[in-house]
């Protein structure tokens, strides 16, 4: 819990990993185009790169605008970095919410089983907390620059191609390929 994958998920908290993240505040609260939007890093196994994904259900007529806003937020986060306030909130939220993960007996059992099955350290939570506490703005910004590559995105839109195809092509992100199911 001191490697880049864990730190990347902490980094994402203020971008798209929490309800009050940049993406959600912009597309849901400010624009009203979605009920919610999230982003996150995933692992695909040892030796294979994971993915950084952004997902949302948006109003059909705002599909192209939403994509533009997503890229604007991602690029702004990568270029300008996390703010002091965002980093402080991230740390407080993640550290303060840790105890809630183990409220029930089942939650505790699952956590302990995971430690045993995966051969993890018994002081896993202490290690996680230390990593979060010690995470610096510079480290968050390095991780964002290294792992959020907006020039490598694949965009998948599910919807009425007649209504969104021309608008999507006008974004200049490449030719739209339609797959009928």
């Amino acid at each position: 819990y001191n490697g880049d994958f864990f730190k990347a998920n902490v980094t994402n908290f203020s971008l798209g990993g929490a309800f009050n993240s940049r993406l959600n505040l912009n597309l849901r609260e400010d624009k009203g185009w979605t009920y919610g939007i999230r982003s996150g890093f995933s692992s695909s196994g040892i030796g294979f790169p994971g993915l950084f994904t952004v997902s949302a259900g948006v109003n059909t007529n705002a599909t192209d605008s939403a994509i533009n806003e997503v890229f604007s937020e991602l690029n702004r986060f990568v270029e300008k970095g996390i703010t002091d306030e965002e980093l402080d909130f991230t740390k407080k939220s993640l550290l303060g919410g840790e105890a809630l993960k183990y409220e029930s007996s089942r939650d505790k059992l699952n956590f302990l089983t995971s430690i045993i099955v995966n051969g993890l350290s018994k002081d896993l939570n202490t290690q996680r907390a230390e990593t979060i506490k010690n995470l610096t703005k510079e480290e968050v910004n390095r991780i964002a620059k290294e792992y959020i590559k907006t020039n490598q995105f694949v965009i998948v839109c599910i919807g009425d191609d007649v209504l969104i195809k021309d608008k999507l092509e006008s974004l200049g992100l490449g030719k739209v390929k339609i797959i009928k199911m």
Side-chain angles (χ1 to χ4, degrees), residues 45-101:
I46 297 172
F48 299 100
L51 299 173
F52 175 75
T53 59
V54 178
S55 60
V58 299
N59 296 337
T60 300
N61 61 350
T63 302
D64 58 323
S65 300
I67 291 170
N68 265 338
E69 286 300 314
V70 166
F71 277 105
S72 293
E73 287 295 344
L74 296 176
N75 287 324
R76 190 170 21 261
F77 193 79
V78 169
E79 292 165 13
K80 296 188 181 201
I82 194 169
T83 66
D84 292 327
E85 295 79 20
E86 287 171 328
L87 183 58
D88 185 54
F89 180 78
T90 295
K91 289 180 178 188
K92 287 178 180 173
S93 295
L94 293 175
L95 293 170
E98 189 67 21
L100 298 175
K101 292 180 183 177

Side-chain angles (χ1 to χ4, degrees), residues 11-141:
T11 295
N12 180 64
F13 189 81
S14 66
L15 176 61
F19 185 77
N20 64 340
S21 67
R22 288 186 187 194
L23 289 168
N24 206 50
L25 290 176
N26 183 342
L27 275 73
R28 174 192 160 98
E29 300 299 318
D30 184 45
K31 306 288 187 304
W33 294 334
T34 183
Y35 185 71
I37 181 169
R38 307 231 1 127
S39 63
F41 292 91
S42 62
S43 169
S44 61
I46 297 172
F48 299 100
L51 299 173
F52 175 75
T53 59
V54 178
S55 60
V58 299
N59 296 337
T60 300
N61 61 350
T63 302
D64 58 323
S65 300
I67 291 170
N68 265 338
E69 286 300 314
V70 166
F71 277 105
S72 293
E73 287 295 344
L74 296 176
N75 287 324
R76 190 170 21 261
F77 193 79
V78 169
E79 292 165 13
K80 296 188 181 201
I82 194 169
T83 66
D84 292 327
E85 295 79 20
E86 287 171 328
L87 183 58
D88 185 54
F89 180 78
T90 295
K91 289 180 178 188
K92 287 178 180 173
S93 295
L94 293 175
L95 293 170
E98 189 67 21
L100 298 175
K101 292 180 183 177
Y102 315 107
E103 277 188 309
S104 74
S105 297
R106 179 177 294 282
D107 294 335
K108 288 176 189 157
L109 176 62
N110 288 338
F111 175 68
L112 293 172
T113 300
S114 178
I115 286 176
I116 293 166
V117 169
N118 296 306
L120 302 172
S121 173
K122 291 178 185 174
D123 69 342
L124 177 66
N125 281 341
T126 303
Q127 290 177 28
R128 285 182 189 168
E130 285 303 309
T131 299
I132 293 168
K133 285 178 194 172
N134 295 323
L135 196 59
T136 65
K137 209 171 146 176
E138 292 74 25
E139 181 104 20
V140 166
N141 294 340

